[in-house]
Amino acid sequence: MRTYKNTYVALLISTIVIGQLAGGITPGAVKAAASSKTASAAAAAASAIKPVQMAPGVTATIENVNIWAQPGGNILAYTLNYSNASGANANLTQYFSRVVTPGGSVIPANPVTADVLKKKVGAKENLRVTYYVNVGQTKSLQGFKVSMYVWDAKAKGYLRQAGSFALPAAYSTTVATGTSLNMIMNNIPVTAAAESLQLYKYSGKVYAKVGISLTNKGSKVLTDPGYTAYLVSSSGTSFELALNSSQSSYKVQPEEKKSIYYLTEIPAYLKTDNMRLQFTQKDETLKLELAGAAFKLPAVTIPNLVVANGAIKKITINSNTIETKLSNASVYPDKASAAWSFQLELKNTGNKAVTLPTYELAVKSAKGTSFPVNAKALNGITLRPLEVKVIPLTAQVPLEVEQNTLQLQMIEAVSQGQVQSSGGSGASDAAGASGTTGGVTAGTESDAAKITFPIAYFTIPYMPRADIQKGQEYRTTTPFGSFSYSLQSIQRYPWKDDDIVVAKVNLTNTQAVTLSLPELKGALKVGNLDLSASTDLLLDKDSQELAPGKTAEISIITKIPYAENFDSMNISMYTTVNEEKLPFLSLTTNSAINDIPSIERGGSYTVSGKGKNAKLQENRTIVYPGGGNFKIIYTELLMSNEEKRQSALARMQAYYQTTDGQFYEAQPAQTTGLAAPGGKQLITFWTKIPKSVATSEISMYLGPGIIGSKLSESGQEATGYINIASLKLTPQTVTPAKDLSRISLYPYILTVLSSDGKITEGSDTISIVLNYNLMQDRTYDTQALSHKLIVKITDPYGQSTEKSLTLGTDLTEGDNNTYSTTIVRSLYKKIGGGSYKITLYDEFQGERIELGNQTYFLTYEPLPVVEKPVTEKPATEK
């Protein structure tokens, strides 16, 4: 037996979708038509066959005689309509029917499983019973007749022949083209009519699409009965049709009309004239298929699926019309490929929500080569009535392919079942084709595969992507709403061993409703470098909500080798849905890099961000001269909290820039505490630079640090910084004070009230006492600074001794405190007085600046003179 394993079925998106023909179409369920345009084919065919009288007042008529091929022999089925006009019940157990073949064989008929329990016909009632017989390999009804018998104890063999039904030579139950059939389905009156037969060629295969309409004439909802549909050629070759599994259940409301479309693959050589749509019902108990209604199909048409540039393609899903349009196509070269982006606009013009089936998308060249397009963002989405959704799409096409003749293929992914074809000789379908016989068996779910079927071919206009100019406003429509956007700036500045490149884009809501921005991510390509993996995106808003007319500033950030040059940039923003990238906005620019904004001396730098708003001003910048080849430049900035609540201020990052364009990374020190509203923090930066570098015109590249897509906080290690401005600094020269009153070493102020130095005659130790006041300035919050107070004491001989003191510990805060120390040298034994000098230094990272000095007198304390006692003379000597 030859079998076809290429029969498929699909519920096409380009048509109104319903489901399988509703159940209950028994072969005898056809009623007479109500108008000249509604024909009951079976009733019309049977009208030429006279009824048989079974008993007084009881007659039988025959309807819907059909043969359907089966693996174990072809099954002839027919329906007997018993009419009881008498006043008593008619007992069906006394009535029998036999099928007489053209060769004279007599075959007893049995009722189908659904009618086995029908035993009587009530008075004044009608009852239909369907019977079947196995007629072997016979395929034609010609020459068949059905004989009717009544139980009669007096008759030979106890059966008396009441009459017979001889089928006319031209007998057929197929509904003619252009007419409809009234039938009973699931005990609901339904009008059905064949609508169309279309052929499609795709990927070297031929597909047939068959359409039939159902109108519910009853008062109850019609549901799917699970009937099987076949496409049958004029020679009898059949191809099973079935709906996509996701559409296996449907409903037809009372008075509603719906259309069903089936799909199957057919051989390219198959003749397609005089084809019919055949429905069958499976008797699971008998393991048989029983033929039901059949419809002659209209002549084949071949639809044009090409959609012109900018045109709307209407497709129908569940009786709702969906308008589709390809828009906003653009392309730019990306290495060896053309990078295409476009949008598929979808609008539900119906009055019900619609969920889209599964599609495959591809870009097709004029030579037929296809390049895949990710369609996951399209598949399974739900459109509410009148809702519009925009699906962004991208594709990569090799540059050697002609780019101005491309099409976007919209393909439906369809379940495939393995089936066997049945019917007569294939020789009548195509010259040289072998005959096809055998029954039809549906494939199991495990046999299911996937085929593809074209829905539309959208013309893709060749539109090179225009370069975006900074400051100009452009408009875009995304899946999340309509916006205007503008490229504000492109910055480049140093970071560690690389450079940071930042593109700033303003996004404005142009709709009259608040829009919700998705969780956006960024990707940058500069020149030939694809930096997508190292790109971060920073949104300056506290919320993803964007009110009408409001603007969000978006920074797209990446790092490149500092020696790399580029003259073009591709900026992309996207979000992730179900682990798939969904494009949001893409643009290309060859705009030059912006100069870093400059802030004049004494000016303020502003930090803007979620809960991070603040201002910074230079407090002071000093240079530690250093003793080797380097010197230290040190800067203090005052950072004021501009928020209305306590905030963890952004961690600031900086580079020092010299007048000749050299950059030196600045080491920051910033408190980890929260800043009160309006409160200020003192933050410091420093770096080492060669002594030969001039510092009088030095500037600081300053900005808040970031970690990924968020502003960093103090205590966190930043991965970069943004919103850079160049703050011109004012380096100060520290002039040592002439005395030790009010010596400033932030956050302390030290005043030496007096110093007492003493040495005792003959001693090798000088004792020195400092009397001082120490006050701490708590105006600003600050981290513990790395400054040390160095006390240098120079003795009368010019020799020095140094002490490193920690303010707040070695010298305690408060008034009238004392600090004592001693200096021991052997040469002090010969000293007779003199003076000593105290010099104070600020030491930072091993380098010093003198803060002040003062000379004090050394008090010499001689040893006390010891007088010898006087000895008295003896009295005798007086």
Side-chain angles (χ1 to χ4, degrees):
M1 179 185 299
R2 180 184 176 190
T3 60
Y4 286 98
K5 292 187 177 181
N6 54 359
T7 304
Y8 315 105
V9 60
L11 177 61
L12 300 188
I13 190 65
S14 59
T15 58
I16 303 176
V17 176
I18 305 302
Q20 290 180 315
L21 186 61
I25 312 178
T26 60
V30 181
K31 293 186 176 180
S35 67
S36 60
K37 290 185 178 181
T38 305
S40 174
S47 63
I49 306 175
K50 293 182 179 180
V52 173
Q53 185 167 352
M54 307 301 293
V58 181
T59 59
T61 57
I62 193 167
E63 300 173 349
N64 283 351
V65 185
N66 285 290
I67 290 180
W68 188 247
Q70 311 282 298
N74 298 338
I75 300 300
L76 184 148
Y78 57 92
T79 297
L80 294 179
N81 186 0
Y82 297 100
S83 178
N84 183 6
S86 70
N89 293 338
N91 190 350
L92 291 183
T93 60
Q94 297 182 358
Y95 303 151
F96 304 91
S97 64
R98 302 284 188 267
V99 173
V100 183
T101 69
S105 300
V106 179
I107 308 173
N110 294 301
V112 298
T113 302
D115 292 348
V116 165
L117 298 180
K118 294 180 179 180
K119 301 299 185 182
K120 63 181 180 179
V121 184
K124 309 298 181 180
E125 292 182 356
N126 289 353
L127 183 67
R128 286 182 170 86
V129 180
T130 299
Y131 300 87
Y132 74 95
V133 295
N134 190 322
V135 295
Q137 298 303 311
T138 304
K139 302 171 184 177
S140 173
L141 291 174
Q142 292 184 10
F144 275 97
K145 68 178 181 179
V146 178
S147 297
M148 302 298 297
Y149 296 88
V150 179
W151 171 265
D152 189 342
K154 299 179 181 180
K156 182 180 179 180
Y158 302 104
L159 292 179
R160 173 176 54 84
Q161 185 171 359
S164 63
F165 303 107
L167 300 182
Y171 181 88
S172 173
T173 57
T174 300
V175 180
T177 304
T179 59
S180 57
L181 178 65
N182 287 336
M183 62 184 72
I184 301 297
M185 304 171 71
N186 286 356
N187 296 318
I188 297 173
V190 175
T191 299
E195 289 189 336
S196 62
L197 173 61
Q198 295 179 325
L199 291 187
Y200 297 82
K201 293 183 178 181
Y202 175 71
S203 191
K205 298 180 180 180
V206 179
Y207 301 94
K209 184 179 74 172
V210 180
I212 185 172
S213 66
L214 293 178
T215 303
N216 185 349
K217 296 293 186 180
S219 58
K220 297 180 180 180
V221 176
L222 178 66
T223 57
D224 177 16
Y227 268 63
T228 305
Y230 293 90
L231 176 64
V232 184
S233 71
S234 58
S235 68
T237 306
S238 63
F239 304 88
E240 183 178 347
L241 302 165
L243 293 174
N244 192 305
S245 60
S246 64
Q247 300 291 331
S248 60
S249 180
Y250 71 91
K251 294 180 180 180
V252 184
Q253 300 295 330
E255 301 304 322
E256 183 181 12
K257 180 180 180 181
K258 285 191 174 182
S259 296
I260 305 169
Y261 289 84
Y262 295 98
L263 173 67
T264 186
E265 182 185 342
I266 62 175
Y269 57 76
L270 185 71
K271 290 184 178 180
T272 56
D273 54 332
N274 296 318
M275 301 193 84
R276 76 177 189 271
L277 173 63
Q278 176 73 57
F279 289 96
T280 67
Q281 185 176 26
K282 292 181 180 178
D283 190 319
E284 298 295 345
T285 302
L286 299 175
K287 305 300 181 184
L288 298 174
E289 273 192 287
L290 305 175
F295 299 84
K296 183 178 180 182
L297 294 170
V300 168
T301 60
I302 300 177
N304 181 11
L305 299 180
V306 177
V307 183
N309 178 24
I312 292 176
K313 169 70 175 180
K314 294 183 179 181
I315 58 179
T316 308
I317 307 174
N318 291 343
S319 300
N320 280 22
T321 297
I322 307 298
E323 293 182 350
T324 64
K325 185 175 72 170
L326 187 71
S327 62
N328 292 335
S330 66
V331 62
Y332 67 90
D334 182 16
K335 297 181 181 178
S337 297
W340 280 93
S341 63
F342 30 76
Q343 294 177 335
L344 191 62
E345 297 181 14
L346 307 169
K347 180 179 181 180
N348 182 1
T349 63
N351 57 8
K352 297 179 182 178
V354 172
T355 299
L356 271 60
T358 299
Y359 295 104
E360 293 179 2
L361 299 177
V363 172
K364 188 184 76 168
S365 71
K367 294 183 179 180
T369 306
S370 294
F371 305 94
V373 175
N374 192 332
K376 288 189 176 181
L378 174 66
N379 296 331
I381 66 171
T382 299
L383 291 169
R384 298 186 298 272
L386 303 182
E387 183 179 12
V388 177
K389 285 191 175 181
V390 178
I391 309 300
L393 304 168
T394 59
Q396 294 283 329
V397 180
L399 287 176
E400 59 266 25
V401 175
E402 188 176 354
Q403 303 292 321
N404 59 357
T405 57
L406 300 177
Q407 292 178 329
L408 176 66
Q409 296 179 147
M410 187 175 184
I411 310 298
E412 185 174 0
V414 176
S415 297
Q416 166 187 338
Q418 295 181 341
V419 300
Q420 295 177 329
S421 66
S422 68
S425 171
S428 62
D429 290 328
S434 61
T436 305
T437 60
V440 181
T441 305
T444 65
E445 185 175 350
S446 61
D447 294 328
K450 186 180 72 171
I451 63 170
T452 53
F453 187 80
I455 301 301
Y457 299 101
F458 293 95
T459 300
I460 302 176
Y462 180 68
M463 187 66 65
R465 181 183 290 180
D467 282 336
I468 299 299
Q469 302 301 314
K470 284 185 293 190
Q472 294 189 17
E473 190 173 274
Y474 303 86
R475 290 185 176 270
T476 186
T477 299
T478 76
F480 305 94
S482 295
F483 303 88
S484 66
Y485 66 93
S486 60
L487 177 62
Q488 294 298 301
S489 65
I490 301 173
Q491 286 189 335
R492 179 174 182 170
Y493 43 85
W495 178 257
K496 308 294 184 183
D497 296 330
D498 297 317
D499 275 1
I500 288 178
V501 175
V502 180
K504 289 186 180 180
V505 177
N506 278 0
L507 192 69
T508 302
N509 178 2
T510 59
Q511 294 187 207
V513 296
T514 296
L515 298 177
S516 296
L517 295 177
E519 194 70 29
L520 290 174
K521 299 179 181 180
L524 282 181
K525 295 180 181 180
V526 295
N528 293 321
L529 291 179
D530 186 347
L531 304 168
S532 302
S534 61
T535 301
D536 292 311
L537 182 144
L538 186 70
L539 183 65
D540 72 336
K541 288 180 58 58
D542 296 323
S543 168
Q544 300 294 111
E545 302 295 314
L546 197 59
K550 296 299 182 181
T551 298
E553 183 180 88
I554 300 172
S555 297
I556 303 98
I557 310 159
T558 193
K559 300 181 183 73
I560 64 171
Y562 85 93
E564 185 74 26
N565 293 318
F566 61 90
D567 54 12
S568 64
M569 175 184 289
N570 292 311
I571 304 168
S572 298
M573 294 178 233
Y574 64 92
T575 188
T576 302
V577 178
N578 297 327
E579 299 182 354
E580 294 292 327
K581 288 184 179 180
L582 181 64
F584 180 81
L585 178 65
S586 296
L587 56 96
T588 301
T589 184
N590 57 7
S591 298
I593 294 175
N594 292 75
D595 293 332
I596 300 298
S598 179
I599 301 174
E600 294 300 321
R601 290 183 176 90
S604 297
Y605 174 86
T606 300
V607 178
S608 297
K610 305 173 185 177
K612 308 293 184 186
N613 292 306
K615 283 188 178 181
L616 291 97
Q617 277 188 311
E618 180 187 14
N619 185 48
R620 66 169 181 158
T621 297
I622 57 176
V623 177
Y624 293 79
N629 296 324
F630 291 90
K631 56 187 175 183
I632 290 178
I633 184 165
Y634 169 88
T635 300
E636 294 176 351
L637 300 178
L638 291 177
M639 188 175 189
S640 58
N641 180 14
E642 300 293 311
E643 298 288 340
K644 295 182 178 179
R645 61 185 63 190
Q646 281 187 318
S647 300
L649 300 181
R651 177 182 174 86
M652 303 303 294
Q653 302 292 322
Y655 270 77
Y656 288 101
Q657 184 196 29
T658 63
T659 53
D660 58 356
Q662 297 180 19
F663 289 95
Y664 298 89
E665 183 180 0
Q667 302 300 317
Q670 186 171 350
T671 180
T672 59
L674 297 177
K680 292 184 178 182
Q681 293 181 347
L682 183 84
I683 60 178
T684 64
F685 296 95
W686 69 273
T687 193
K688 285 186 177 183
I689 61 176
K691 274 193 172 182
S692 59
V693 175
T695 57
S696 58
E697 298 295 327
I698 201 164
S699 299
M700 175 179 281
Y701 271 29
L702 180 67
I706 57 171
I707 297 178
S709 60
K710 296 181 179 180
L711 292 179
S712 64
E713 297 178 2
S714 185
Q716 296 178 332
E717 189 65 31
T719 59
Y721 62 139
I722 60 167
N723 300 331
I724 304 305
S726 178
L727 176 63
K728 292 184 178 181
L729 301 176
T730 308
Q732 301 174 3
T733 300
V734 177
T735 302
K738 295 180 180 181
D739 56 34
L740 300 183
S741 62
R742 298 193 62 81
I743 298 297
S744 177
L745 188 62
Y746 191 83
Y748 294 97
I749 296 177
L750 173 66
T751 297
V752 178
L753 302 175
S754 62
S755 177
D756 297 326
K758 294 181 181 180
I759 188 167
T760 302
E761 178 185 357
S763 173
D764 61 356
T765 302
I766 295 178
S767 300
I768 297 176
V769 176
L770 293 179
N771 302 302
Y772 65 90
N773 295 339
L774 183 65
M775 295 186 301
Q776 182 177 358
D777 186 351
R778 291 183 171 83
T779 305
Y780 316 124
D781 296 328
T782 186
Q783 187 181 24
L785 302 178
S786 300
H787 294 267
K788 296 178 181 179
L789 178 67
I790 304 299
V791 179
K792 178 180 176 182
I793 303 173
T794 305
D795 63 19
Y797 294 109
Q799 297 186 18
S800 299
T801 299
E802 294 184 355
K803 301 288 185 180
S804 177
L805 303 180
T806 301
L807 298 179
T809 303
D810 297 319
L811 299 183
T812 57
E813 187 177 353
D815 294 337
N816 298 314
N817 295 324
T818 61
Y819 170 78
S820 299
T821 187
T822 59
I823 305 173
V824 179
R825 287 192 176 96
S826 60
L827 58 83
Y828 293 165
K829 294 180 180 181
K830 299 178 181 181
I831 199 170
S835 64
Y836 62 93
K837 183 170 72 173
I838 296 178
T839 306
L840 300 182
Y841 293 92
D842 168 15
E843 184 177 273
F844 181 77
Q845 301 297 326
E847 305 296 344
R848 296 178 179 181
I849 293 178
E850 183 180 345
L851 302 176
N853 63 81
Q854 189 167 345
T855 301
Y856 299 92
F857 290 106
L858 180 64
T859 302
Y860 176 77
E861 294 183 344
L863 291 174
V865 178
V866 179
E867 295 182 2
K868 294 180 179 181
V870 178
T871 303
E872 294 184 4
K873 292 180 179 182
T876 59
E877 296 180 1
K878 294 182 180 180

